[in-house]
Amino acid sequence: MEIKITKTTSPKAKPADESKLGFGNIFTDHMFMMDYSADAGWHDARIVPFAPIPIHPASTVLHYGTEIFEGLKAYRTADDEIRMFRPIENIRRLNNSAERLCLPQLDEKDALEILDTLVELEKDWIPHSEGTSLYIRPFMYGNDPHLGVHAVKNATYVVICSPVGAYYAEGINPVKIAIESEDVRAVKGGTGYAKCGGNYAASLRAGEKAEKKGFTQVLWLDGVHRKYIEEVGSMNVMFKINGEIVTPELTGSVLPGITRKSCVELLKDRGYKVSERLISIDELHEAAKNGTLEEAWGTGTAAVVSPIGWLSYKGEEFTVNNGVIGDVTQQLYDELTAIQWGKVEDTHGWIHKVC
Ligand SMILES: *Cc1c(COP(=O)(O)O)cnc(C)c1O
């Protein structure tokens, strides 16, 4: 595909102190943009200086929330190779999300070429310190200049990049999670499996409430029975119960995480029994009480894995593994990060070399 590149004439200084990067605060010099119309298809693929995007006040996304996104990282190895982790999975998931929200599909090859071209152009922005990376945020939104409610005829696809710090700069500390019993994030038939901004809008209230009480995130229950475990905040969730690894099956209201999928594969390689099935809050509660809940952790691109040390449900609190990270959680973190940063050989074909 043809991507027109307009370089910035005023490049920004790269962050001097990589220990202060945080997450999603700083953006690189350029971004990718491309427009879609029902008549012309995708057109005008371009990389331009990073800048605000002008938007029509009646644009669909501002009124009806037609927005989807992705999140992946580019990693710098010790030999200065730049690579991404399973980017094709992000592209396929973006297309699945687009289908759900009646947004246009991207050609898989073009979408990969866009990521490669932008990441290579911005490679000097990829930080060097241990555990740091370049977070890549592709997103698409409906952009018709009309207030009528219907599937859009115009859309815009954008990719922005942000150098991010080491998630665990202060060591991997288990988090406190509140099991939410009032609000729900998604229901089967809704948009739970799509990575769309609207799911996050619906989840903020419970997150804020939990934070005020001293919890890091919320663990969601299914919206129909309020009984089955779905996921935590922006992560999928896994438990080790009596030696078995259990993670909620993808019923339509759970986001199909790429970290989740990779963890399932690594755990099966290691010989663990892994079950993707329904887990009720009662089963979890019982396992916590009788001591068979051995480990609990979240999985997602930003943190890789996040151990859960405490769970609270309707005012009752229980501790997992005495509030310290468990062996399986630690192994998963070590193994996945070693593959991503090129410290061990990638035997699964997960690494996509950029340059
Ligand atoms: C992105 C996301 C995840 C994690 O997916 P990864 O592909 O592993 O990063 C989990 N839950 C929700 C709601 C998400 O948006």
Side-chain angles (χ1 to χ4, degrees):
M1 73 181 303
E2 200 194 317
I3 302 175
K4 183 171 178 243
I5 300 177
T6 309
K7 286 198 188 166
T8 179
T9 51
S10 47
K12 290 174 281 196
K14 311 276 184 303
D17 186 351
E18 293 187 350
S19 71
K20 295 205 167 65
L21 286 171
F23 178 82
N25 301 316
I26 299 166
F27 297 93
T28 64
D29 281 325
H30 302 93
M31 61 186 188
F32 173 86
M33 288 189 83
M34 165 165 91
D35 301 307
Y36 173 90
S37 69
D39 298 335
W42 285 110
H43 58 274
D44 225 355
R46 59 202 187 272
I47 288 174
V48 293
F50 187 90
I53 303 172
I55 195 160
H56 193 285
S59 178
T60 327
V61 64
L62 297 180
H63 301 270
Y64 309 126
T66 46
E67 190 266 358
I68 57 173
F69 65 96
E70 272 302 326
L72 71 163
K73 286 174 172 175
Y75 306 85
R76 181 190 293 282
T77 69
D79 307 327
D80 268 338
E81 181 184 298
I82 308 301
R83 44 189 21 229
M84 294 185 278
F85 183 72
R86 311 188 80 174
I88 199 69
E89 297 285 340
N90 294 91
I91 292 166
R92 291 185 179 142
R93 186 169 66 189
L94 187 78
N95 275 337
N96 286 337
S97 302
E99 195 280 332
R100 179 65 184 81
L101 275 82
C102 294
L103 286 164
Q105 296 286 300
L106 292 174
D107 177 84
E108 284 184 10
K109 258 186 68 209
D110 288 351
L112 191 58
E113 193 180 329
I114 290 164
L115 295 177
D116 282 343
T117 310
L118 184 63
V119 168
E120 185 163 5
L121 182 71
E122 302 294 65
K123 67 173 188 291
D124 292 344
W125 280 94
I126 306 178
H128 294 74
S129 316
E130 175 95 22
T132 59
S133 57
L134 185 73
Y135 184 77
I136 308 165
R137 167 55 61 89
F139 59 104
M140 189 194 293
Y141 53 93
N143 206 6
D144 284 358
H146 310 292
L147 292 177
V149 180
H150 50 70
V152 296
K153 293 192 169 63
N154 297 275
T156 302
Y157 178 61
V158 188
V159 186
I160 56 176
C161 302
S162 170
V164 296
Y167 199 88
Y168 292 116
E170 277 135 41
I172 309 188
N173 293 315
V175 292
K176 283 178 91 164
I177 299 289
I179 301 176
E180 175 61 34
S181 47
E182 286 168 22
D183 289 359
V184 295
R185 188 191 83 98
V187 289
K188 204 181 290 190
T191 55
Y193 70 89
K195 207 167 172 80
C196 65
N199 290 340
Y200 279 79
S203 75
L204 293 176
R205 185 172 71 176
E208 286 293 296
K209 196 177 66 182
E211 211 167 290
K212 282 204 188 90
K213 292 184 184 157
F215 298 96
T216 316
Q217 288 210 13
V218 162
L219 189 133
W220 299 103
L221 298 178
D222 79 279
V224 177
H225 311 280
R226 308 292 183 95
K227 180 176 170 189
Y228 298 104
I229 307 286
E230 300 235 299
E231 57 183 308
V232 260
S234 52
M235 290 187 284
N236 295 108
V237 68
M238 298 187 174
F239 305 98
K240 181 161 172 262
I241 302 174
N242 209 9
E244 177 193 9
I245 314 292
V246 188
T247 190
E249 64 179 279
L250 302 176
T251 51
S253 45
V254 175
L255 199 286
I258 297 159
T259 318
R260 172 191 183 277
K261 183 173 172 171
S262 307
C263 286
V264 167
E265 288 175 53
L266 288 178
L267 289 163
K268 284 185 176 165
D269 288 352
R270 281 181 170 273
Y272 285 103
K273 177 167 186 242
V274 185
S275 307
E276 298 180 52
R277 61 170 173 84
L278 296 179
I279 313 157
S280 69
I281 179 67
D282 297 334
E283 178 185 350
L284 191 70
H285 194 200
E286 189 55 38
K289 276 195 298 192
N290 69 23
T292 54
L293 175 59
E294 293 154 351
E295 295 185 39
W297 65 92
T299 70
T301 296
V304 185
V305 296
S306 179
I308 298 170
W310 299 269
L311 285 161
S312 154
Y313 182 57
K314 291 187 171 164
E316 192 186 340
E317 198 167 308
F318 39 96
T319 307
V320 187
N321 198 37
N322 301 314
V324 296
I325 184 168
D327 292 343
V328 174
T329 315
Q330 182 74 55
Q331 277 167 16
L332 274 176
Y333 179 79
D334 293 344
E335 215 176 323
L336 262 178
T337 53
I339 296 171
Q340 290 166 337
W341 273 278
K343 292 176 182 163
V344 294
E345 197 196 333
D346 162 35
T347 55
H348 297 86
W350 288 344
I351 295 301
H352 173 81
K353 188 180 165 186
V354 177
C355 58

